[in-house]
Amino acid sequence: MSEELLLHPDRLFSADPTQRSIARRLYQTIKDLPIVSPHGHTDPKWFAQNECFSNATELLVKPDHYLLRMLFSQGITLESLGIGKNREGVESDPKKSWKIFAEHYYLFQGTPTSLWLDYVFVNVFNLTERLCAENADSHYDTITACLQQDDFKPRALFERFNIEVIATTESAIDDLTYHQQILDSGWSGKIITAFRPDNVIDPEFEGFEENLSILADMTGINLETYSGYLESLKVRRQYFKKMGATSTDHGHPTARTLDLTEQECDALYSKIRSQQYSGEEADQFRAQLLTEMAKMSVEDGLVMQIHPGVYRNHNQDLFDNFGRDKGADIPVATEYVENLRPLLNKFGNNPKFSVIVFTLDETTYARELAPLAGHYPALKVGPAWWFNDSPEGMRRYRQQITETAGFYNTVGFNDDTRAFLSIPARHDVARRMDCVFLAELVSDHRISEQQAEKIAYDLTYGLVKKAYKL
Amino acid sequence: MSEELLLHPDRLFSADPTQRSIARRLYQTIKDLPIVSPHGHTDPKWFAQNECFSNATELLVKPDHYLLRMLFSQGITLESLGIGKNREGVESDPKKSWKIFAEHYYLFQGTPTSLWLDYVFVNVFNLTERLCAENADSHYDTITACLQQDDFKPRALFERFNIEVIATTESAIDDLTYHQQILDSGWSGKIITAFRPDNVIDPEFEGFEENLSILADMTGINLETYSGYLESLKVRRQYFKKMGATSTDHGHPTARTLDLTEQECDALYSKIRSQQYSGEEADQFRAQLLTEMAKMSVEDGLVMQIHPGVYRNHNQDLFDNFGRDKGADIPVATEYVENLRPLLNKFGNNPKFSVIVFTLDETTYARELAPLAGHYPALKVGPAWWFNDSPEGMRRYRQQITETAGFYNTVGFNDDTRAFLSIPARHDVARRMDCVFLAELVSDHRISEQQAEKIAYDLTYGLVKKAYKL
Amino acid sequence: MSEELLLHPDRLFSADPTQRSIARRLYQTIKDLPIVSPHGHTDPKWFAQNECFSNATELLVKPDHYLLRMLFSQGITLESLGIGKNREGVESDPKKSWKIFAEHYYLFQGTPTSLWLDYVFVNVFNLTERLCAENADSHYDTITACLQQDDFKPRALFERFNIEVIATTESAIDDLTYHQQILDSGWSGKIITAFRPDNVIDPEFEGFEENLSILADMTGINLETYSGYLESLKVRRQYFKKMGATSTDHGHPTARTLDLTEQECDALYSKIRSQQYSGEEADQFRAQLLTEMAKMSVEDGLVMQIHPGVYRNHNQDLFDNFGRDKGADIPVATEYVENLRPLLNKFGNNPKFSVIVFTLDETTYARELAPLAGHYPALKVGPAWWFNDSPEGMRRYRQQITETAGFYNTVGFNDDTRAFLSIPARHDVARRMDCVFLAELVSDHRISEQQAEKIAYDLTYGLVKKAYKL
């Protein structure tokens, strides 16, 4: 039974009439500001080659781990969604996979996924019915037909979405070919990269040794010594910076940092390179490297981002058969106060250093991160991340961060997504939820509406540009 | 000074008129659905023998650890409430104990206990004044007189409460006599059991060795070997299943699971049986047994429930003098991601397996349990439990679980109580709070009211029947 | 651009008209109750000498670590605020420091600091514009001029603020001269002390050995033995009690307690005094001393307060250059269930004992502290503390504590401040937020307005007097 699909103009605003009217007025002042997307995972190839996206399933279902996760949790196999090359029983008809997704779209009620997708269905594809089994085929056809048109090509969508700048994320050993192609093309869209060195910093990353060989080749530097190794990372950072990067990103299991002596570093590096290290030593190495990255940030001005606290690939069988990023990453409790101290004691008061820290452990918002960000000049708190990039997640974020860190030790919104079409939807949810929070502060007279307007602008546009040096 | 006691028809609904009217409409559609109670601690003897409950104090005060806890915290001795056989100074007049309770009933303001009891006072006993010192005696008399009537006997109340099915919980070595009596009686009320093997699985449980002897006797199986031990548990599970059980329940200190080799299991079992084990080994044994229970669930289809994270009998003096379940159990921080991984890696993707995980550590809702339940096909999150079985607890539960796990990786409500008379009150609070949550989603246009109606039905009735195979 | 500064009479009350009108009515019944301030850090010298406060910067900026913290986080140096004697570049003109503060006053939007300061600006100094760069000088002049007047002297303000009693906090080796002066002066204001022995209990406190020498001198007791050491503490407690103290206060890194044998205590004390102890042994000593303090509380009736869970002086460089209390203390995860058990098993059921436990780790409210306070007769939960002394912090406190511990295992509000002028503002925020919480319970019919009125009185006045024996 299909239901009409409407995006209510007041969606996410409080039902209370006073708060709703304030939120509405605030939202009017920011809703059309350009999108600044300083951290995400769109594919630069899209913008370099500007080819049509193929079909609804390839674009909207298969790459979205939020979707895969939820469908899998209800017994839908990845094979039936067309995932898992060379496996038996992989569905080859994307329309059939889309149908399965549509039949289970009800699972996403009350989750941000439905907010994002409904926004895309209405605003990008002009669909007027909520997705369900009955309209699965026609929705598939409509979307897929649209995607063949010029104005649904990546660059056209980028412009239509009013994106001022978007940062992709590339590994330290990526050659940034696509970014070069974009620059060479003369297209005005601003696509920058971000330096993500996990695969050459984490000894336990798949292919670490091989990655170091590539790094040595790329930089022409001998990586036998720790100083050579650090030098090669500096060189790559320089290259990323030249290609537009303003930030680095670090996805570590924990927020641990260390400040070892030169001698200790040399000895540890030797162990790592000889592949004779314990789990603890691998962890020490990652911890020391965060401090080294901070040091390089002081020198080259790249803003550091730390994204810790995820148990990656928790489902061994799924990982063995389908690889990474299939929805089996699970957050864990994460400690910041002890862990960040070595780094902060070295660079936390340094006006040339800036580090943005994220968390999936909301217990640290009020207890650890807001107090740290509300004290150290170098530290800012990143926005509600991943599982918490949602209306209730954002509400908790503002409620738990603001009273200690204020608004000005935060950095605006990150969409952090590879789901390109959802970017405007995600920013819209963030803008609305900021207005909801501000409207409450105005309605109970904690701030004036005049103050709220200025803050709304800063949360949407001012802070992100400043924090990421854009 | 006694005050009128009214159950407002809109109680617990938001004061906001838009949300309140939506909640009211949703509630109308579910309020009369039968009660399905898949997990609880009512005494099957009540339904087997169908005798009158004795008096207000015996029924409502003495067995309720929520009451004992709060009264004790304010200096009321358990003796004065008539608890503690053979101790000096134990009050023998239940009416005097009731008076003490009534004098301190104000302590429960703002707690779920007063919501539940006021509901019972009004709906079961037609009382019209809030309980206080002045009306303590007359309330006692009214309640106690009612209890002597036929329509206040257990079976009559069961029917009056519109309970479709209720599960009690019995130890693995319980002979289920009362369940057999109920079955033999021809009464139509559906009272099933649940298999709770803690006292034969946890080496540190009081009487563990003695319990194993009973288990051996009951099953005629030699428990000298680990395989014999497992076999005996299988046999008991079969018996419970034959008597109507659809689930098992496991009240462990932590959620730790292990997947040891056969050899390791044999060695560990030997140590346990020789009573030469460390605390760590006892913990390993419990952890391994959870995985064994999961394996048996795959085979026999019983749904597994894990209730971890309580420091039992925290107050040593109270335990020594009065025993278990007197309100001195305290929750502790509980970890699920590492702890459940061995079990989930073995059976988490198995369509024949179903495990419902509970927590008293709300920090794990958004961080651990929703992501796990939103990924693993076998895992569902149990409802807000025990200390969190309350309006604010339920609100936090939905706010922190839904955006990641959706509604359909949850399992409806559990009353988990031995306070039989409070069962309708507890389900009513849960139904109302679900309507409150849904009304907010509707009022800010995250879902439509049509969607909310269907979800309300599923949260109340559909999901619990499905999750518990009822 | 300066904006009008108004204190809306309904500030902090919900925008919902039903809730707002209930909150308003409740607030009317408690807003003029005297302030009872049982725990804080005002300087008794102020009341002893009753001299004028010097100027706006000295009074309102320099001693307030909430201000310093936030300003420092945005790159304002402490030197520019006039802090750091003997350092280069310390601003000597307080008006210039005030200007810097005013320019950055926008940072405090949405934080309790602006609620408190705006209240002070309006109610104490009759200012009518929100502080900003443009009016910085005139505000400074107005405030500083006021401070020269007799009715802005400490005693006059104390009376104007309607403070019934205020407790300061002094170290165990403080001679309480100023308290004696106040007593001798015949002034009617009630200023009492509280016994804070951290610096003679924590072996890792700066100057511990020296402090013990002073303690020995003060008491004339030989501290070579553990029993002598304990005796000296008893003597000091007696002196504090004689000078009006009704409580002790303990600011430990964790909530750990121990119950060692006499022999173990003697041996541990020897190690501590020989300065041959490990970090673990220092921790054991602190843990044992909490239990000793509890024992003395049973004897002398002083109410015990435990304030654990802060990483003090996290910023090493700042500490080395500027010392303590400059805004670099960061909360850490804190465990109560295991840690408090030795103490609670010894004295938790003792009707002569009373301990008030605080936390900066809100995850323990519902999980640990409410269950503990809702069981042990001796234990009460302290109010939302420090970083959580804020509207949202107080809301979470009531939402997470009340359903398990009720209202009557809490102890009213603590302002815990050295910012004397902000005391009425802080109590006003607490009173308003209690009314907000109660109004919600009334509006959704969990309690009646009649009940709420009585509770509001108790939360504001009754409970604090009872809990602190005032």
Side-chain angles (χ1 to χ4, degrees), chain B residues 224-444:
Chain B
E224 294 305 302
T225 64
Y226 187 60
S227 61
Y229 170 68
L230 293 183
E231 185 57 30
S232 76
L233 292 170
K234 273 186 216 179
V235 166
R236 291 307 296 160
R237 290 171 64 109
Q238 282 309 321
Y239 185 65
F240 272 67
K241 190 175 170 184
K242 200 186 116 203
M243 295 295 284
T246 68
S247 65
T248 72
D249 183 34
H250 306 276
H252 285 209
T254 71
R256 185 178 182 189
T257 62
L258 278 176
D259 184 21
L260 303 175
T261 64
E262 223 177 289
Q263 215 170 2
E264 289 168 329
C265 288
D266 289 342
L268 183 57
Y269 185 68
S270 290
K271 281 195 177 169
I272 296 295
R273 294 310 307 278
S274 67
Q275 299 178 54
Q276 306 286 327
Y277 57 85
S278 64
E280 164 62 14
E281 284 160 345
D283 204 52
Q284 287 174 13
F285 190 73
R286 289 188 293 262
Q288 175 63 26
L289 260 292
L290 282 185
T291 308
E292 302 288 2
M293 289 292 110
K295 190 177 170 197
M296 293 184 200
S297 277
V298 169
E299 290 160 7
D300 64 21
L302 294 179
V303 173
M304 186 173 189
Q305 297 174 91
I306 304 178
H307 283 89
V310 193
Y311 194 122
R312 301 272 173 187
N313 312 312
H314 191 270
N315 189 330
Q316 190 63 46
D317 189 59
L318 198 83
F319 178 65
D320 293 344
N321 288 306
F322 299 93
R324 292 180 153 256
D325 297 328
K326 297 296 175 289
D329 297 338
I330 310 288
V332 292
T334 307
E335 201 281 339
Y336 294 90
V337 181
E338 292 274 1
N339 276 327
L340 289 178
R341 194 166 184 255
L343 186 153
L344 290 173
N345 267 255
K346 203 152 187 185
F347 302 113
N349 302 338
N350 190 322
K352 291 183 182 159
F353 180 54
S354 186
V355 57
I356 302 170
V357 179
F358 295 77
T359 198
L360 294 174
D361 181 352
E362 293 177 312
T363 69
T364 64
Y365 282 160
R367 187 181 62 216
E368 305 180 20
L369 290 177
L372 287 168
H375 168 68
Y376 281 101
L379 194 152
K380 302 280 173 283
V381 192
W385 174 40
W386 196 341
F387 297 93
N388 304 319
D389 177 6
S390 62
E392 299 302 329
M394 289 172 184
R395 199 193 312 275
R396 289 193 291 272
Y397 174 88
R398 291 283 174 219
Q399 285 172 342
Q400 294 174 26
I401 293 280
T402 308
E403 293 184 321
T404 289
F407 292 105
Y408 290 90
N409 287 305
T410 64
V411 302
F413 179 65
N414 280 193
D415 55 68
D416 192 19
T417 191
R418 68 200 73 221
F420 178 44
L421 268 64
S422 75
I423 287 177
R426 289 170 190 250
H427 285 258
D428 189 60
V429 169
R431 291 174 188 197
R432 286 174 181 274
M433 290 309 298
D434 281 339
C435 291
V436 166
F437 182 70
L438 290 167
E440 188 176 348
L441 297 194
V442 173
S443 76
D444 66 13

Side-chain angles (χ1 to χ4, degrees), chain C residues 115-227:
Chain C
L115 294 178
W116 300 331
L117 280 175
D118 286 350
Y119 183 103
V120 169
F121 291 154
V122 171
N123 283 337
V124 181
F125 298 110
N126 281 313
L127 296 169
T128 55
E129 281 180 11
R130 188 182 306 285
L131 181 65
C132 62
E134 285 75 11
N135 60 31
D137 286 353
S138 69
H139 274 43
Y140 180 89
D141 291 340
T142 303
I143 293 169
T144 304
C146 283
L147 293 177
Q148 311 321 312
Q149 301 172 24
D150 278 352
D151 51 349
F152 287 82
K153 285 184 176 171
R155 291 184 181 183
L157 289 175
F158 181 95
E159 289 159 6
R160 176 171 164 191
F161 291 166
N162 193 22
I163 300 175
E164 181 174 314
V165 53
I166 202 168
T168 64
T169 305
E170 272 72 40
S171 113
I173 51 175
D174 189 292
D175 59 11
L176 305 182
T177 309
Y178 295 120
H179 287 83
Q180 191 60 57
Q181 283 183 26
I182 296 166
L183 289 172
D184 294 345
S185 75
W187 177 52
S188 66
K190 192 165 177 196
I191 315 286
I192 61 177
T193 183
F195 181 74
R196 175 97 172 218
D198 300 353
N199 64 355
V200 293
I201 272 184
D202 177 358
E204 296 175 326
F205 207 98
E206 303 99 270
F208 174 72
E209 273 296 320
E210 198 179 344
N211 296 336
L212 288 203
S213 298
I214 299 169
L215 182 60
D217 289 348
M218 280 185 132
T219 58
I221 296 173
N222 180 340
L223 303 193
E224 295 305 300
T225 64
Y226 187 61
S227 61

Side-chain angles (χ1 to χ4, degrees), chain C residues 331-343:
Chain C
V332 292
T334 308
E335 202 281 338
Y336 295 90
V337 181
E338 293 273 0
N339 276 327
L340 290 178
R341 195 167 183 255
L343 186 154

Side-chain angles (χ1 to χ4, degrees), chain A residues 16 19 337-338 341 345 349 363 366-368 371-377 380 399-400 402-409 440 443-448 450-451 455, chain C residues 3 8 11-13 15-16 20 69-70 72-74 107 109-112 130 311 313-316 318 327-328 330-331 333 361 363 387 390-393 395-396:
Chain A
D16 176 78
Q19 289 189 34
V337 181
E338 292 274 0
R341 194 166 184 255
N345 267 256
N349 302 340
T363 69
R367 188 180 61 216
E368 306 180 20
L372 287 168
H375 168 68
Y376 282 101
K380 302 280 174 282
Q399 285 171 342
Q400 294 174 25
T402 309
E403 293 184 321
T404 289
F407 291 105
Y408 291 90
N409 287 305
E440 188 176 348
S443 75
D444 66 13
H445 311 289
R446 279 183 269 182
I447 57 174
S448 69
Q450 193 179 336
Q451 292 178 298
I455 296 167
Chain C
E3 213 187 319
H8 196 284
R11 65 193 178 281
L12 294 177
F13 297 160
D16 176 78
R20 182 166 285 201
R69 190 172 64 67
M70 180 68 91
F72 186 76
S73 81
Q74 289 280 319
L107 296 174
Q109 295 172 109
T111 77
R130 188 182 306 285
Y311 194 122
N313 312 311
H314 190 268
N315 189 330
Q316 191 62 46
L318 199 83
I330 310 288
D361 181 353
T363 69
F387 296 93
S390 62
E392 298 303 328
R395 198 193 312 275
R396 289 192 292 271

Side-chain angles (χ1 to χ4, degrees), chain C residues 38-40 167-170 192-197 237 240-241 244-250 297 300-305 354 356 467-470:
Chain C
H39 176 88
T168 64
T169 305
E170 272 72 40
I192 61 177
T193 183
F195 181 74
R196 175 97 172 218
R237 291 172 65 107
F240 272 67
K241 191 175 169 184
T246 68
S247 66
T248 72
D249 184 33
H250 307 275
S297 277
D300 62 22
L302 294 179
V303 174
M304 185 173 190
Q305 299 173 91
S354 186
I356 301 170
Y468 283 90
K469 304 185 179 174
L470 293 169

